[in-house]
Amino acid sequence: SSGINAEWPLRRGGKRPYLATECHSLQEAEKWRHQIIKEIARKVSQIQNAGLGEFRIRDLNDEINKLIREKGHWQDRIVELGGPNYHKIGPKMLDHEGKELPGNRGYKYFGAAKDLPGVRELFEEAPPQPPRKNRGDLMKDIDAYYYGYLDDEDGVLLKLEVEVEKKARHLAIEEWKLKKETGELDKELEEEEKKEREEEEKRRKELLEKRKEDDTEDDTSDQHTIAPLEVPSQKDVEIELLRKKKMELLLKYASEDLQKTSMDAKTLMGRNLIF
């Protein structure tokens, strides 16, 4: 490390390295850190003057934030070189001079920059939000009154309804009297009667059309009517029952040969003979 540190005395009084990682000497890193702190203090003092103008104040505020970030890089480098951790033990008075906007972490406004147009309004404290209620808290307020079941219990609503009803009735009577005096009431009655007659005529026409359609459907259905079946008379039924009875007796008592002879005879005679 002695070889590396030997080159740093040659740079004393020179410019601060652009990157903190280019420094390999703890003593030099401490020196550059103190230099940055002095620059921050000087610029924070300057920015307190509101008469500098908006543009100069904005530039100074940007420079201060840039120096604060650079100071953090040098403090990280000091830790890497075995030095103290200034993030934990270093004074932060200058950092506390600045104020961050809500939702804009890292960038701070110092001195007169906090009163710049568009910035001052953002720093105005918003009223605290009411605590959010959970489902249990909401259910505590739900009872019979919530659904309006007990609105008539105290009688207040009934009194109000009576008063409103009286006023509405009075206005309706006055309006009716005025219409009657001006003849407007008779016109309204005539219009209502005319409207009723038109509706009655419309219903009558619809009924006639419906009847015509039904008659047309009846005529069409008559053309496709199926002829009725011939119903046997009482005598035909008796003859058929007698024939079935004789056939049952024949099958029960006659031999197969006799049945065959009988059937052959029927066939020869060409008519149904029942024995």
Side-chain angles (χ1 to χ4, degrees), residues 138-198:
L138 295 174
M139 294 301 294
K140 291 179 181 178
D141 298 329
I142 297 179
D143 51 13
Y145 287 100
Y146 176 82
Y147 292 103
Y149 294 144
L150 303 177
D151 289 347
D152 299 336
E153 292 295 321
D154 53 3
V156 175
L157 185 61
L158 292 176
K159 293 179 181 179
L160 295 175
E161 289 178 350
V162 170
E163 294 178 1
V164 172
E165 185 178 356
K166 286 181 179 179
K167 292 180 181 179
R169 186 184 296 111
H170 177 72
L171 291 175
I173 292 173
E174 292 297 326
E175 183 180 0
W176 181 83
K177 289 180 179 180
L178 180 61
K179 287 183 177 181
K180 188 173 183 181
E181 292 176 357
T182 57
E184 187 178 352
L185 183 61
D186 296 335
K187 292 180 180 179
E188 290 183 357
L189 292 175
E190 291 177 0
E191 291 178 358
E192 290 181 1
E193 291 177 357
K194 181 180 178 181
K195 187 176 180 180
E196 290 178 359
R197 287 196 300 270
E198 291 176 353

Side-chain angles (χ1 to χ4, degrees), residues 200-214:
E200 182 65 25
E201 182 67 19
K202 183 179 179 181
R203 287 195 296 268
R204 189 181 66 81
K205 290 181 178 180
E206 291 177 354
L207 182 60
L208 290 175
E209 292 293 332
K210 178 66 174 172
R211 288 181 179 177
K212 288 181 180 180
E213 292 176 0
D214 294 341

Side-chain angles (χ1 to χ4, degrees), residues 15-37:
K15 290 185 178 182
R16 186 167 62 243
Y18 182 73
L19 298 176
T21 53
E22 295 178 355
C23 178
H24 301 281
S25 170
L26 178 60
Q27 183 181 359
E28 291 291 327
E30 293 272 11
K31 183 188 74 169
W32 300 129
R33 174 180 174 274
H34 285 297
Q35 185 186 81
I36 293 172
I37 292 175

